[in-house]
Amino acid sequence: MRFPVSSRGFCHHLDLTGCETRPFPNPLTPAAESTVIDLDGTTHFARFLDDLPPL
């Protein structure tokens, strides 16, 4: 789940319990490395933005 850093109370309780966080795996970021999308019935695999077809 995504929790914004502005959720200071929530982050405080995470720290108290010793829970760790990691970056959310947004497509085409180092946290996700790759993505698969379906555009108009065609599946596209991408590691970089340039791997996707033009809009």
Side-chain angles (χ1 to χ4, degrees):
M1 293 182 75
R2 294 183 195 203
F3 297 101
V5 293
S6 61
S7 298
R8 294 177 54 174
F10 178 76
C11 292
H12 171 75
H13 284 83
L14 280 181
D15 289 342
L16 289 176
T17 61
C19 290
E20 296 180 15
T21 63
R22 58 182 178 219
F24 190 84
N26 288 313
L28 304 178
T29 65
E33 297 182 14
S34 66
T35 192
V36 177
I37 63 169
D38 184 278
L39 297 172
D40 200 26
T42 303
T43 301
H44 302 272
F45 174 83
R47 289 192 185 276
F48 305 100
L49 187 58
D50 289 341
D51 295 337
L52 296 174
L55 294 175

